Amino acid sequence: MSYHSFLLEPISCHAWNKDRTQIAICPNNHEVHIYKKEGSKWSRIHELKEHSGHVTGIGWAPESNRIVTCGTDRNAYVWSLKGNVWKPTLVILRINRAARCVKWSPKENKFAVGSGSRLISICYFEQDNDWWVCKHIKKPIRSTILSLDWHPNNVLLAAGSSDFKCRVFSAYIKEVEEKPSPTPWGSKMPFGELMFESSGTGGWVHGVCFSDSGNRLGWVSHDSTVCVTDANKKTTVAILDTESLPLLTVTFITESSLVAAGHDCYPVLFTYDNAKDTVTFGKKLDIPKQNVQQGLSALAKFRNLDKHASADDNNVHLETLHKNSISQISVLEGGKKNCLKFCTTGMDGGMAIWDIKTLEADLKGLKIV
Amino acid sequence: MSKNTSTDKFRRVNVDDYDENNYVDEDEGGENQIGPDEAEVDASIRQGNLNAALQAALKNPPINTKNQAVKDRAEATVVKVLTSFKSNDIEKAVQSLDKNSIDLLMKYIYKGFEKPSENSSAILLQWHEKVLAAGGVGSVVRVLTARKTV
């Protein structure tokens, strides 16, 4: 596991380039900074300054090497590298509230932006006008879209919203792609068609993720639950009520295992059992540093009793790698099928890279199915 | 003062009713939820079988109903059962509950905090400590984020 502290402020969002040598982060302001790994140090090589509001989402398309950013200024920009400079192109989203999240589609010919205007903007490039245009998915969304994830077929899109629901929509744009073949989520997929809507849990849906095959959908919400559903049995949702604080972000690392992280500041492994329709808690994926436990003097004991109402000082120091909530998780190596490394960024301004093989070796009883 | 400042009826208008984008919770049909069976609960308490009383009190929670009287009665019943426990028996009783019951009990405990009577808060705090150990902070988060509660 390696941890690098970029800033003292929260990292609003991050995105990696294709070969994982550069990372684009938003340091909680109107800019995007791109850092390059040089040996064991990170140096800032680019600053993308165009937004007039906080940047809330960054997407880096691996093949076409374009960056899309969206922000609270209700705009999105697509950046292309010309020579050694990133040049922005404005995308008119036609929204009247802040943009909250953005994701490139798998084929990188479209991207989706979730916003506080209670709609999703699907943007694609129109060759004739040399301009990015967008189409809106509005019904039946009733509140802000907090998270998005694309299905591998480039058409279906999962959206988690603060109206307590996780939905799957069709984002089929006939101008840029062929009609999609039927999937377990449904066969008729006109633009804006609602393929699935969750029910049964409350709380804002902070993070959604499709599995590698696209047949499974996992989401985490603010009522401390993790849910997974399989497209082949859309009506049964496996729900796990966790005992920890709400999780903010989730990703599949194999077809049946998910890693999620949130306000508890450490990533957690969950396992989905398709046969039993259950999600079970796997393990907490953080190896705390072994603190040398010195004997507490009587003075220290009473002082702790007075200050913290407990004799020991276990609860005062966070033993996790991240010292504040983790807001975003991204897969670095291996894809969502067989993830080998993943990265987390959080409100402590730090970025940690987690190695699955090392975790399996160090944590006894860690089983990833 | 001039005449047109005398009426203040405008202060009582609920502006959210006129907002067309106002989020309205779905109605999930709670007419049939009547709350726990008080006779069963009282019988168990009289027999001294407090664990059974607790199980009975946690049945049929009036979560979806809009009838406030049903909710008040249910809450009173549960608090009655909780206060009749001896402090040492609380932990064992909590261990005998399953996950959903733990979440439901936590909801009732917080409802009980809202309307304290002479000794209820102290007893409820003892129960809260034990239920927290069993359900974790997640159960408290679910109380706080629940749109429809007991």
Side-chain angles (χ1 to χ4, degrees):
Chain A
M1 281 173 330
S2 65
Y3 180 84
H4 182 261
S5 178
F6 277 105
L7 341 131
L8 292 173
E9 297 235 0
I11 294 181
S12 315
C13 45
H14 76 267
W16 289 88
N17 70 343
K18 179 173 183 185
D19 53 9
R20 313 312 192 198
T21 52
Q22 295 183 25
I23 183 174
I25 64 169
C26 168
N28 201 33
N29 59 14
H30 304 337
E31 306 171 356
V32 174
H33 295 170
I34 301 187
Y35 286 80
K36 184 175 175 152
K37 188 137 212 259
E38 278 155 11
S40 64
K41 288 197 303 163
W42 291 89
S43 50
R44 189 188 310 180
I45 51 170
H46 290 120
E47 284 180 13
L48 277 49
K49 299 183 211 216
E50 195 76 18
H51 278 282
S52 49
H54 278 230
V55 179
T56 50
I58 307 179
W60 199 325
E63 304 302 326
S64 50
N65 204 34
R66 287 175 299 183
I67 297 181
V68 62
T69 57
C70 72
T72 57
D73 57 355
R74 298 168 277 131
N75 287 336
Y77 291 93
V78 175
W79 304 76
S80 310
L81 190 63
K82 302 265 188 326
N84 202 20
V85 184
W86 286 94
K87 290 253 186 291
T89 312
L90 173 68
V91 180
I92 307 267
L93 296 172
R94 294 185 284 128
I95 55 180
N96 55 8
R97 294 287 187 278
R100 271 298 250 108
C101 46
V102 65
K103 272 268 164 83
W104 279 109
S105 70
K107 294 210 184 87
E108 297 166 25
N109 50 5
K110 344 177 248 199
F111 60 88
V113 181
S115 65
S117 308
R118 305 142 53 100
L119 50 83
I120 307 175
S121 300
I122 310 289
C123 308
Y124 59 98
F125 196 66
E126 207 165 69
Q127 271 306 120
D128 317 329
N129 292 336
D130 196 24
W131 186 238
W132 288 89
V133 290
C134 75
K135 278 194 175 170
H136 287 165
I137 299 179
K138 277 205 193 136
K139 292 201 190 343
I141 304 172
R142 298 167 68 201
S143 190
T144 307
I145 298 289
L146 295 172
S147 50
L148 294 167
D149 194 34
W150 286 93
H151 186 282
N153 75 352
N154 210 53
V155 169
L156 296 176
L157 179 68
S161 166
S162 59
D163 62 1
F164 323 118
K165 298 221 180 288
C166 171
R167 300 184 176 90
V168 176
F169 290 101
S170 158
Y172 166 63
I173 305 273
K174 61 181 189 312
E175 283 89 343
V176 297
E177 55 198 349
E178 302 289 315
K179 236 180 164 184
S181 38
T183 69
W185 293 102
S187 35
K188 285 200 134 310
M189 291 181 261
F191 180 82
E193 180 82 2
L194 179 68
M195 316 297 289
F196 167 76
E197 189 180 72
S198 74
S199 58
T201 54
W204 292 2
V205 180
H206 286 295
V208 294
C209 189
F210 271 113
S211 69
D212 180 70
S213 65
N215 288 337
R216 296 191 181 158
L217 177 65
W219 66 95
V220 286
S221 34
H222 200 77
D223 59 352
S224 295
T225 56
V226 180
C227 306
V228 179
T229 184
D230 192 308
N232 299 313
K233 357 179 182 164
K234 266 188 284 189
T235 43
T236 39
V237 175
I239 304 177
L240 171 67
D241 294 335
T242 69
E243 288 183 2
S244 52
L245 292 176
L247 297 154
L248 290 174
T249 174
V250 64
T251 181
F252 274 90
I253 53 167
T254 66
E255 195 68 16
S256 297
S257 299
L258 310 98
V259 169
H263 289 293
D264 271 317
C265 319
Y266 52 77
V268 186
L269 175 75
F270 292 98
T271 313
Y272 170 63
D273 188 330
N274 196 5
K276 290 192 252 170
D277 275 329
T278 56
V279 182
T280 43
F281 171 80
K283 210 160 175 63
K284 167 180 164 177
L285 296 177
D286 203 316
I287 309 168
K289 279 200 296 278
Q290 296 301 336
N291 282 329
V292 178
Q293 196 77 333
Q294 295 146 337
L296 274 174
S297 69
L299 174 64
K301 261 211 182 83
F302 282 110
R303 188 173 43 204
N304 281 329
L305 253 176
D306 184 40
K307 257 207 243 168
H308 311 297
S310 77
D312 52 41
D313 57 359
N314 279 346
N315 284 334
V316 180
H317 306 290
L318 259 187
E319 286 182 356
T320 54
L321 198 56
H322 276 282
K323 298 304 177 199
N324 207 329
S325 310
I326 295 177
S327 53
Q328 192 178 343
I329 198 170
S330 57
V331 170
L332 287 184
E333 257 181 53
K336 287 192 260 189
K337 189 156 187 192
N338 215 341
C339 172
L340 295 169
K341 281 204 188 136
F342 61 89
C343 159
T344 51
T345 56
M347 315 245 281
D348 57 350
M351 183 263 307
I353 299 185
W354 308 77
D355 191 302
I356 303 264
K357 292 277 172 273
T358 319
L359 285 170
E360 272 178 326
D362 287 338
L363 288 170
K364 290 189 264 290
L366 181 68
K367 252 180 31 158
I368 302 182
V369 297
Chain B
M1 296 262 270
S2 48
K3 280 220 179 85
N4 63 353
T5 60
S6 54
T7 165
D8 63 350
K9 276 212 290 256
F10 67 90
R11 297 189 190 279
R12 311 260 181 265
V13 171
N14 183 10
V15 288
D16 284 336
D17 286 340
Y18 299 100
D19 179 13
E20 57 202 22
N21 288 340
N22 194 18
Y23 181 83
V24 177
D25 278 301
E26 295 155 7
D27 256 329
E28 270 176 42
E31 289 77 26
N32 292 333
Q33 289 183 334
I34 43 174
D37 186 357
E38 286 161 49
E40 192 184 340
V41 173
D42 285 337
S44 299
I45 296 184
R46 262 181 274 124
Q47 286 168 2
N49 191 350
L50 290 174
N51 280 333
L54 184 62
Q55 305 273 4
L58 292 177
K59 277 198 228 156
N60 288 335
I63 290 186
N64 287 330
T65 180
K66 294 206 188 77
N67 188 342
Q68 192 55 36
V70 175
K71 295 195 179 202
D72 290 340
R73 263 208 326 266
E75 188 233 326
T77 311
V78 174
V79 173
K80 190 165 66 179
V81 174
L82 296 185
T83 46
S84 51
F85 266 83
K86 283 205 274 289
S87 308
N88 298 332
D89 297 333
I90 295 181
E91 188 162 356
K92 245 184 19 184
V94 168
Q95 313 282 16
S96 70
L97 295 173
D98 67 339
K99 268 214 138 210
N100 288 338
S101 305
I102 298 262
D103 279 352
L104 183 59
L105 183 55
M106 194 56 110
K107 287 202 172 92
Y108 275 117
I109 291 176
Y110 274 91
K111 197 79 205 290
F113 282 144
E114 283 173 36
K115 297 199 202 101
S117 58
E118 325 83 44
N119 212 14
S120 68
S121 286
I123 315 268
L124 286 176
L125 273 174
Q126 287 183 321
W127 275 93
H128 184 275
E129 185 193 349
K130 300 286 183 260
V131 179
L132 185 64
V137 273
S139 61
V140 179
V141 172
R142 275 183 283 284
V143 173
L144 298 174
T145 56
R147 299 287 290 183
K148 299 189 176 100
T149 181
V150 289

